[in-house]
């Protein structure tokens, strides 16, 4: 165990350098959206105070003195009379730069251990103040007051604290000037008060929750925000506009902070959890327990190593209150992406984000760091006889993890993360003989390092990133997993031409090592298919013990200034590039050239409050020079004067080549296709809001199509409750759905025409008893069924006519299998019936009580039902009835955490 502990603390010293992701080819590329209720929808703009903009406002801080400040929502202490007044707010939306329609005032005091902020929202119609009581951090239709503090004074990072009139807190971490991390949580105090001429909020923000330099006299960046819900108006003290494309770099200044000291921040959050699980099972299985008790203890620790850097440690983390992943049926060759929901990995994740994606759609989730790899389900399973039983964990134990993050006075941003997960072993009970253990997941170390250095007051930067995965070699070899995987490189960004243009890029290298069997799996994976018989540019070697590759992206774009936006660039990935041990990657072996043009009008024009139009074009080749994809799209999104929102787009791809359609077979000529999407949403300020979203595609040459419609209704029957009722129906007919490869004297690639229907619903209810006590209910029924017909094998995959690419295959059913003579030799080959009917239901109820700042009690009940019933086709009434006839698995859990800190 000693060498593994050494790795845990030493991997940071052997990591490679790395890069940060850049994505400019997307719908609405580089939009800078409006500040949200208490948060902000951010774009991609960096800027500075010296960029030739108007003089930004200044506020002088006043020390509290010997008197205490009673945080009660009222500026009743004499010190508030001495505080300087910030006023003259201007609109961020709907009319950028226009005077705010309602008066707002802000004052700031500072003491020895905390900053105090008082905001007063004057109202001509106090009876129309909007306040929705929700759980913490839930964005709602409410008036909001907030303060955003750039305590680093680097004009790129800031801490936001906001509250609505009934005391619901929101906190957000801002980074890269215009990006945000809503997963960040702090421990702070605020109280609100209703008054005859409006409402007010009084904040106490401990210095321990901020990060700043140790100077005798400090200046911080600061801004104050106000949301008037009934007008959908956002007002700010320091003016900022979408055309500037900057947020933090446009903050005003808070001057005169003298003699304050950053405390040695330390927070300890121990927890204990207990629960019981009850569900169906096999009574003959010796591992089955009708009721199974569970319990655990653990802790999270947050320590301020310096005033700039914070160390977070989690020991035996518990994620029991996390919502279940939504159901999906994946018929592709690629892995299903699941979003991260676990608090330790969500909070502060922004510093580790490194997108590899180019645009949106299927590959938009590609990234160098995918935290769901840590604590994943074991990748192996016990090899047992039919009459034996086995038991193994459904997720890998995380022994512990730490992350170090912060920004130094010299402009260095630093993020380091390390986690160690346990060796998992299945217990096997054979029909005869004693029980034994079999490894199904090796002891593994994961590491991520991200650093960047700002120049020119944050307008330019150079960065590096590295990831590393190391597994127990013996167990990894037995399970055909890679022993080690490393990736790293460098990136840069540079703003110029009055901060309206940006040049950016990255170069990343990767290397994986392991046994020949493990590297063979990497070569044969869907990302590359080295074994393709007609891929002369690929080098397949079954004895290889390592695989190397490189990825690069370079782009130049105009992201701000006026209404026009434009960009172009190129991205490339060599065939051997592989980062799936700690990242998420679908495709390698391509070079893509892209360009886009946008017209973004952020102020009212005609019937629109704002209107964004975009045009994109792209083409892609593999490393053998084959033209794989060529196409373009048009898209728009808008908001009307009545606060309705809409979006629409169409994308067309010409005929191209596909090296993955035959899943290791030769190149296939793919028919042209057209994709479309659109939606409309009603006024979010109404008690009932309706949204309808749709997308689909058509491939006329193969008579294939898909349509998805998903309506959603949000209802606010009171100031405490919110109901969301969403549903979707997806209909799909695909004439070339992959079935399988069948080997005789040669390989035969079998397809069929699938008729698939998927339907589901998502039901949510949020009810807040108080700002710190809430109940959340969630339920999702899901049914998907597909039937296959018109079976065909590939005859000439590169034929110019679609019908010439296949030969119809006669099949007959025998028992549960199909029989067919693929090579005409009179002997029948068999394959299993691919029809399916999948049913699943997930639900949970979470009662959350923050009984003191930072401390919480969770009471959780969850229920799950699932079944796969074969080839019964789709019948919604029958399938839902059958779903709820299933015996459920119920889990009841209580978790208590207690915050200790200073």
């Amino acid at each position: 165990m000693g060498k593994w502990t050494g790795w845990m603390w030493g991997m940071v010293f052997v990591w490679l350098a790395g890069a940060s992701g850049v994505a400019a080819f997307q719908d609405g590329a580089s939009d800078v959206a409006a500040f949200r209720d208490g948060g902000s929808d951010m774009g991609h703009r960096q800027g500075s105070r010296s960029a030739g903009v108007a003089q930004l406002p200044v506020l002088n801080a006043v020390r509290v003195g010997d008197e205490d400040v009673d945080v009660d929502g009222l500026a009743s202490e004499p010190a508030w009379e001495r505080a300087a007044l910030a006023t003259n707010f201007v609109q961020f939306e709907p009319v950028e730069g226009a005077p705010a329609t309602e008066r707002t005032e802000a004052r700031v005091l500072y003491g020895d251990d905390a900053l105090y902020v008082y905001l007063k929202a004057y109202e001509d119609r106090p009876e129309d103040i909007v306040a929705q009581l929700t759980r913490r951090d839930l964005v709602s239709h409410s008036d909001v007051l907030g303060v955003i503090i750039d305590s680093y004074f680097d004009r790129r990072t800031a801490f936001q604290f906001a509250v609505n009139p009934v005391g619901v807190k929101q906190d957000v971490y801002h980074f890269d000037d215009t990006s945000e991390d809503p997963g960040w949580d702090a421990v702070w105090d605020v109280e609100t008060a209703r008054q005859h001429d409006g409402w007010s909020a009084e904040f106490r923000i401990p210095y321990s929750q901020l990060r700043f330099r140790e100077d005798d006299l400090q200046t911080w960046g600061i801004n104050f925000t106000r949301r008037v819900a009934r007008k959908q108006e956002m007002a700010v003290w320091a003016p900022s506009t979408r055309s500037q494309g900057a947020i933090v770099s446009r903050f005003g200044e808070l001057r005169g902070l003298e003699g304050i000291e950053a405390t040695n921040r330390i927070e300890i959050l121990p927890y204990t959890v207990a629960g019981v699980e009850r569900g169906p099972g096999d009574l003959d299985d010796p591992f089955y327990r009708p009721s199974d008790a569970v319990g655990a203890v653990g802790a999270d620790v947050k320590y301020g190593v310096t005033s700039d850097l914070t160390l977070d440690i989690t020991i035996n983390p518990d994620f029991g209150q996390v919502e279940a992943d939504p159901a999906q049926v994946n018929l592709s060759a690629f892995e299903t992406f699941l979003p991260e929901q676990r608090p330790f990995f969500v909070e502060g994740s922004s510093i580790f984000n490194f997108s590899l994606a180019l645009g949106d759609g299927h590959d938009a989730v590609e990234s160098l760091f995918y935290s769901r790899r840590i604590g994943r389900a074991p990748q192996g399973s016990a090899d047992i006889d039919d009459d034996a039983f086995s038991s193994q964990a459904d997720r890998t134990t995380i022994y512990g993890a730490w992350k170090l993050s912060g920004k130094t006075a010299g402009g260095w941003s630093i993020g380091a993360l390390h986690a160690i997960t346990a060796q998992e072993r299945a217990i096997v009970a054979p029909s005869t003989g004693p029980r034994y253990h079999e490894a199904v997941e090796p002891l593994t170390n994961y590491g991520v390092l991200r650093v960047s250095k700002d120049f020119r007051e944050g307008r330019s930067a150079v960065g590096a990133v590295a990831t590393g995965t190391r597994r127990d070699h013996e167990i990894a070899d037995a399970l055909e997993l890679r022993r080690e995987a490393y990736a790293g490189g460098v990136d840069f960004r540079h703003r110029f031409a009055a901060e309206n243009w940006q040049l950016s890029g990255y170069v990343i290298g990767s290397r994986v090592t392991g046994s020949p069997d493990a590297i063979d799996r990497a070569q044969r994976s869907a990302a590359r298919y080295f074994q393709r018989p007609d891929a002369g540019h690929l080098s397949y070697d079954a004895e290889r013990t390592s695989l190397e590759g490189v990825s690069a992206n370079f782009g130049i774009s105009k992201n701000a200034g006026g209404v026009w936006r434009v960009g172009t660039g190129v991205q490339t990935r060599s065939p051997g590039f592989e980062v799936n041990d700690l990242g998420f990657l679908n495709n390698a072996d391509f070079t893509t050239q892209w360009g886009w043009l946008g017209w973004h009008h952020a102020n009212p024009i005609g019937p629109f409050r704002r209107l964004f139009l975009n045009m994109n074009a792209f083409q892609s080749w593999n490393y053998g020079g084959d033209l794989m994809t060529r196409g373009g799209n048009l898209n728009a999104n808008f908001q009307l004067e009545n606060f309705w929102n809409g979006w629409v787009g169409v994308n067309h791809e010409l005929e191209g080549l596909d090296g993955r359609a035959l899943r290791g077979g030769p190149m296939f000529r793919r028919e042209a296709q057209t994709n479309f999407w659109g939606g409309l949403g009603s006024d979010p300020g109404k008690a009932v809001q309706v949204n309808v979203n749709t997308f689909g595609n058509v491939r006329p040459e193969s008579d294939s199509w898909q349509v998805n419609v998903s309506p959603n209704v949000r209802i606010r029957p009171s100031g405490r409750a919110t109901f969301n009722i969403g549903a979707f129906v997806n209909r799909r007919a695909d004439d070339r759905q992959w079935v399988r490869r069948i080997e005789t004297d040669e390989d035969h690639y079998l397809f069929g025409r699938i008729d698939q229907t998927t339907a589901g619903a998502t039901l949510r209810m949020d009810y807040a008893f108080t700002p710190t006590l809430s109940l959340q209910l969630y339920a999702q029924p899901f049914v998907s069924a597909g039937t296959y017909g018109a079976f065909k094998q590939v005859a000439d995959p590169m034929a110019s006519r679609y019908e010439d690419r296949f030969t119809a295959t006669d099949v007959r059913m025998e028992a549960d299998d199909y029989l067919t003579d693929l090579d005409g030799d009179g002997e029948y080959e068999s394959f299993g019936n691919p029809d399916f009917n999948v049913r699943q239901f997930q639900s949970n109820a979470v009662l959350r009580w923050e009984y003191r700042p930072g401390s919480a009690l969770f009471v959780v009940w969850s229920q799950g039902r699932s079944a796969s019933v074969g080839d019964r086709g789709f019948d919604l009434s029958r399938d839902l009835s059958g779903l709820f006839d299933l015996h459920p698995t119920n889990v009841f859990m209580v978790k208590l955490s207690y915050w200790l800190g200073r």
Side-chain angles (χ1 to χ4, degrees), residues 49 64 188 364 514 580 637:
R49 298 165 197 273
V64 173
W188 50 286
N580 274 314
N637 65 79

Side-chain angles (χ1 to χ4, degrees), residues 19-93:
S20 99
V22 178
F25 169 64
Q26 59 185 11
D27 295 343
S30 301
D31 291 346
V32 180
F35 281 86
R36 292 189 309 167
D37 297 345
S40 56
D41 295 331
M42 296 301 190
H44 310 281
R45 164 74 167 157
Q46 294 92 28
S48 79
R49 298 165 197 273
S50 59
V53 299
Q55 183 68 37
L56 296 173
V58 173
L59 188 69
N60 291 313
V62 173
R63 182 175 280 278
V64 173
D66 296 332
E67 61 187 295
D68 293 328
V69 176
D70 181 18
V71 180
D72 58 3
L74 300 170
S76 53
E77 293 80 9
W80 286 118
E81 295 299 324
R82 304 195 308 271
L85 183 66
T87 187
N88 298 323
F89 282 52
V90 299
Q91 294 183 42
F92 183 83
E93 64 174 16

Side-chain angles (χ1 to χ4, degrees), residues 226 262 375 446 477 569 624 677 688 714 741 794 833 876 884:
R226 178 183 179 183
Y446 300 93
D477 290 351
W677 60 93
V688 178
R714 187 188 66 190
R741 177 172 60 92
V794 175
N833 184 355
L876 184 61
F884 289 101

Side-chain angles (χ1 to χ4, degrees), residues 398-453:
I398 302 175
Y399 281 148
W402 61 262
K403 55 186 177 184
L404 179 71
S405 61
K407 190 163 189 175
T408 69
W412 285 94
S413 295
I414 301 172
L417 181 148
H418 184 269
I420 183 168
T421 60
Q423 179 191 114
E424 295 291 347
R425 298 190 298 169
I427 307 173
V428 179
S431 56
T432 59
R435 295 182 180 183
Y436 61 91
H437 294 80
E438 186 173 329
V440 293
E441 178 73 21
L443 185 71
T444 306
N445 278 261
Y446 300 93
V448 185
L449 176 65
R450 178 69 169 120
V451 297
S452 65
K453 176 67 169 68

Side-chain angles (χ1 to χ4, degrees), residues 174-347:
H174 295 254
F175 63 99
D176 288 345
D177 193 3
T178 56
S179 299
E180 65 171 9
D181 177 8
W184 176 74
D185 285 317
V187 180
W188 50 286
D189 298 313
V190 67
E191 291 292 338
T192 62
R194 293 288 187 104
Q195 301 176 36
H196 72 279
D197 55 354
W199 69 285
S200 58
E202 191 175 20
F203 299 77
R204 181 185 182 275
I205 303 168
Y207 297 140
S208 64
Q209 304 302 299
L210 304 172
R211 300 177 188 178
F212 52 90
R213 298 158 187 154
E214 294 181 350
D215 297 331
D216 291 337
L217 183 63
Q218 301 206 24
T219 296
W220 292 353
I222 197 166
N223 208 350
F224 307 102
T225 66
R226 178 183 179 183
R227 183 81 177 180
V228 183
R230 72 176 189 277
K231 299 180 180 181
Q232 293 201 22
E233 176 184 311
M234 172 63 74
V236 294
W237 175 62
S240 180
T241 68
R242 293 184 185 85
S243 60
Q244 290 175 346
I247 302 297
V248 178
S249 58
R250 297 295 184 262
F251 282 8
E253 295 183 2
L254 179 65
R255 296 177 179 175
L257 296 163
E258 187 174 1
I260 65 172
E261 297 181 1
T263 61
N264 288 327
R265 179 184 184 186
I266 182 167
E267 301 175 11
I268 304 174
L269 190 70
Y271 83 86
T272 181
V273 62
V276 63
E277 178 176 339
R278 184 174 178 84
D282 185 350
L283 295 177
D284 294 329
D285 184 346
F287 300 110
Y288 170 63
R289 299 289 184 273
S291 295
D292 192 11
V294 295
V297 295
D300 295 330
V301 179
K302 191 181 294 286
Y303 176 67
V305 179
T306 68
S307 61
D308 299 322
L309 300 175
T310 298
L311 176 67
D312 291 272
I313 302 173
T314 185
I315 302 168
N316 191 28
D318 170 69
F319 307 118
Q321 72 271 22
V322 173
E323 194 171 275
D325 292 317
Q328 299 185 51
V329 173
N330 186 354
L331 300 179
S332 75
F334 302 103
E335 178 184 5
T336 297
F337 177 86
L338 297 170
E340 182 61 86
Q341 302 182 76
R342 300 171 296 178
F344 177 81
F345 295 106
V346 170
E347 182 177 357

Side-chain angles (χ1 to χ4, degrees), residues 599-761:
W599 185 81
H600 296 179
H601 202 287
N603 283 326
I605 177 173
F608 302 101
R609 280 168 56 100
R610 56 178 177 264
L611 175 62
F612 299 158
L613 305 173
N614 298 281
M615 177 174 63
N616 304 279
F618 53 91
Q619 52 187 345
S620 180
W621 301 263
N622 67 11
Y623 270 53
D626 301 307
L627 180 62
M628 310 298 288
T629 303
R630 181 171 53 185
N633 66 67
L634 298 171
N635 63 83
N637 65 79
F638 57 86
Q639 185 180 51
L640 300 174
E641 288 290 348
N642 63 359
F643 304 122
W644 285 55
N645 295 277
W647 52 97
V648 64
V650 60
N651 180 87
H652 183 72
E653 295 184 28
L654 302 174
E655 182 181 83
L657 303 180
D658 191 339
R660 295 171 175 81
L662 303 188
R663 306 196 182 188
M667 190 77 76
F668 183 86
R669 187 179 298 278
R670 185 187 62 246
E671 66 272 31
Q673 68 173 345
T674 300
N675 305 310
F676 59 87
W677 60 93
L680 190 65
S682 66
D683 181 357
K686 301 297 185 182
V688 178
Q689 182 191 14
V690 179
N691 291 280
V692 178
N693 192 28
T694 184
F695 66 84
N697 68 70
V698 292
R699 307 199 308 269
E701 191 176 4
S702 62
D703 188 26
S704 299
W705 54 271
Q706 178 181 2
V707 175
N708 186 98
V709 178
S710 51
N712 183 84
V713 179
R714 187 188 66 190
I715 304 170
R716 293 194 303 268
S718 72
R720 297 176 180 270
T722 302
F723 293 90
N724 279 279
I725 305 170
F728 72 91
V729 177
N730 187 298
R731 287 281 293 116
R732 171 174 172 255
D734 191 339
D735 193 61
R736 56 176 182 86
Q737 174 61 52
W738 173 261
V739 177
R740 61 171 299 173
R741 177 172 60 92
I742 298 178
E743 298 179 18
T744 59
D745 291 337
E746 60 183 18
D747 290 335
H748 300 270
Y749 305 98
L750 192 64
F751 287 80
R753 183 176 181 84
I754 188 174
D755 183 353
Q756 182 182 1
T757 301
T758 303

